């Protein structure tokens, strides 16, 4: 299969440019498209065969459920068997935006979408291309990140092509995504709500909107025996995920001396530096100075990892940003990417 690529203006996507993508989606094919978080690999969520194509193209295990994208809250309610107060409140506050809500599903949502489970993750994206595509296609779109399973999520069209060229029908190239990390996934099918994946919306923002505590259990993610059991609370919480192809290590401070040591041992090192003075001479090192604030850092992180991979370094060293709550999602992704 040849993957067709269509350049599209992310601030003002026009209908004509979207038409081929609509045709592909409505005939059961696969379209990669940008959202405000990362690029998604979309199929008609109500077409079980089309959704099977997503699992095949990604090499995704069948027990990992997909997020279904819809144009608005009404469309979300149509797919939910129950729509709890918490869902309504958060949807009103944060949609369109980088929040996926897990609720009980209606029977019209094919089992393959939810990996056989009774809940479905729903999200109204805010990216203009994603919104225009949902409106034009007029079907809910199931879309995981547009990468082969266990690889880093794509934030640029070229990242999508690296792993899916020739495996999908069409790619809408809308340039870099603005958010850079995947959506926050929150299970509101149970009370209290449970944060399954930290993301661009913070736990604090969710708690403020709900007026109650949101549970977040970080501990089980490092417990392989539990997280690989057949019933997974969220398989995206597997400890190693979002990983670059070269080993990566994260260092809270003194990353500079670690980089130096590796360089002098003859390694080619890629260093994602953060808020530190760079040494004048580092033979064999490629250095990217990461942005100082969490939002810009998030937007750049995956692109920096992809750049390091393709520059042929043997090892990536990351200076860890602070431990404060607004860095939770960044820490989460860095920890997974560096897990052994
Ligand atoms: O920002 C995003 O969320 C992007 C864009 C394309 O929307 N999508 C994305 O999808 O990151 P994916 O498939 O790479 O990650 C979805 C995560 C996985 O960790 C999956 O296990 C979890 O959401 N998930 C999906 N449905 C679920 C459900 N019913 N219950 C629990 N977790 C679920
Ligand atoms: Mg993914």
């Amino acid at each position: 299969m040849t993957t067709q690529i269509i350049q599209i203006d992310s601030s003002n996507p026009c209908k004509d440019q979207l038409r081929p993508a609509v045709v592909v989606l409505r005939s059961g094919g696969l379209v990669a498209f940008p959202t405000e978080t990362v690029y998604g690999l979309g199929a008609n969520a109500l077409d079980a065969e089309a959704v099977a194509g997503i699992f095949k193209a990604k090499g995704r295990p069948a027990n990992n459920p997909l997020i279904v994208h819809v144009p608005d809250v009404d469309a979300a309610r149509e797919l939910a068997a129950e729509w709890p107060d918490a869902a309504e409140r958060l949807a009103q506050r944060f949609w369109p935006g980088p929040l996926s809500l897990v609720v009980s599903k209606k029977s019209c949502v094919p089992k393959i979408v939810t990996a056989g489970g009774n809940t479905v993750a729903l999200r109204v994206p805010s990216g203009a291309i994603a919104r225009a595509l949902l409106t034009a296609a007029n079907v809910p779109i199931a879309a995981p990140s547009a990468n082969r399973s266990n690889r880093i999520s794509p934030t640029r069209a070229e990242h999508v092509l690296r792993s899916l060229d020739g495996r999908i029908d069409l790619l809408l190239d809308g340039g870099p995504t603005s958010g850079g990390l995947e959506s926050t996934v929150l299970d509101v099918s149970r009370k209290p709500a449970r944060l399954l994946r930290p993301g661009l919306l913070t736990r604090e923002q969710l708690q403020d909107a709900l007026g109650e505590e949101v549970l977040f259990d970080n501990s089980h993610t490092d417990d392989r025996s539990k997280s690989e059991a057949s019933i997974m609370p969220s398989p995206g919480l597997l400890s190693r995920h979002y990983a670059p192809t070269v080993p990566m290590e994260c260092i809270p401070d003194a990353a500079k001396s670690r980089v130096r040591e590796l360089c002098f041992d003859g390694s080619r090192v890629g260093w994602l530096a953060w808020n530190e003075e760079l040494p004048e001479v580092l033979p064999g090192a490629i250095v990217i100075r990461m942005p100082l604030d969490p939002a810009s850092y998030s937007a750049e992180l995956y692109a920096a990892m992809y750049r390091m991979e393709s520059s042929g370094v043997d090892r990536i060293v990351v200076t860890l940003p602070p431990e404060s709550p607004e860095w939770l999602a960044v820490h989460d992704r860095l920890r997974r990417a560096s897990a052994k």
Side-chain angles (χ1 to χ4, degrees):
M1 163 193 306
T2 309
T3 300
Q4 188 189 355
I5 302 168
I6 297 178
Q7 313 281 336
I8 186 158
D9 180 354
S10 63
S11 53
N12 185 24
C14 84
K15 259 198 169 156
D16 283 346
Q17 291 172 306
L18 287 171
R19 202 157 289 137
V22 170
V23 171
V24 169
L25 285 173
R26 296 195 65 98
S27 57
L30 302 182
V31 175
F33 62 98
T35 77
E36 77 279 23
T37 59
V38 300
Y39 275 74
L41 177 58
N44 177 355
L46 303 179
D47 177 343
E49 237 174 87
V51 174
I54 294 180
F55 284 88
K56 191 159 169 237
K58 278 184 63 97
R60 184 175 177 108
N63 64 354
N64 194 356
L66 307 178
I67 296 172
V68 176
H69 300 69
V70 287
D72 52 38
V73 188
D74 288 341
R77 282 198 214 92
E78 275 172 35
L79 302 177
E82 272 168 61
W83 189 250
D85 277 355
E88 182 62 22
R89 207 178 267 210
L90 293 168
Q92 293 299 342
R93 177 81 174 266
F94 296 116
W95 279 356
L99 174 65
S100 298
L101 293 172
V102 173
V103 294
S104 59
K105 77 169 193 79
K106 265 196 191 145
S107 57
C108 61
V109 179
K111 286 256 167 191
I112 187 170
V113 172
T114 63
N118 295 322
T119 59
V120 61
L122 299 171
R123 159 163 135 77
V124 176
S126 66
I129 294 173
R131 295 183 63 69
L133 185 63
L134 281 163
T135 308
N138 198 26
V139 288
I141 299 179
S145 50
N147 50 277
R148 296 291 285 269
S149 202
N150 293 325
R151 296 279 292 112
I152 310 167
S153 293
T155 58
R156 312 268 193 279
E158 73 206 60
H159 303 159
V160 177
L161 290 176
R162 274 197 220 183
S163 61
L164 295 175
D165 195 11
R167 303 179 70 86
I168 61 177
D169 300 287
L170 195 148
L171 162 64
L172 294 175
D173 177 355
T177 63
S178 58
L181 296 185
E182 306 82 351
S183 64
T184 303
V185 180
L186 186 75
D187 183 353
V188 288
S189 71
R190 295 181 278 173
K191 255 179 123 49
R194 209 172 132 183
L195 182 59
L196 299 181
R197 180 173 71 183
L200 296 169
L201 279 176
T202 64
R203 186 179 175 201
E204 288 66 28
Q205 284 173 292
L206 300 172
Q207 291 181 153
D208 278 353
L210 285 176
E212 56 194 36
E213 201 199 353
V214 164
L215 299 184
F216 178 49
D217 178 9
N218 218 353
S219 58
H220 74 279
T221 57
D222 293 324
D223 180 344
R224 304 290 295 182
S225 59
K226 240 193 249 170
S227 60
E228 282 178 359
S230 57
I231 299 169
M232 298 187 180
S234 185
L237 297 177
L238 282 177
S239 51
R240 187 169 164 81
H241 205 74
Y242 316 113
T245 48
V246 281
M248 185 170 122
E249 62 186 284
C250 299
I251 300 187
D253 40 45
K256 199 190 300 182
S257 50
R258 175 66 177 146
V259 173
R260 218 185 239 129
E261 174 189 291
L262 287 165
C263 287
F264 285 107
D265 282 349
S267 293
R268 296 203 56 202
V269 184
W271 180 16
L272 307 191
W274 189 80
N275 196 25
E276 57 216 317
E277 247 178 63
L278 301 183
E280 271 162 31
V281 195
L282 272 179
I286 298 176
V287 186
I288 299 178
R289 251 181 208 278
M290 295 301 288
L292 296 184
D293 68 290
S296 318
Y297 191 108
S298 300
E300 294 301 320
L301 178 60
Y302 291 156
M305 287 189 199
Y306 273 112
R307 251 177 73 195
M308 289 304 185
E309 274 187 12
S310 55
S311 64
V313 297
D314 312 316
R315 179 168 277 284
I316 302 172
V317 174
V318 181
T319 306
L320 275 178
E323 284 284 351
S324 48
E326 69 273 20
W327 289 96
L328 180 66
V330 166
H331 272 262
D332 173 79
R333 304 309 191 272
L334 288 175
R335 189 168 44 74
R336 291 171 204 288
S338 56
K340 295 263 164 21

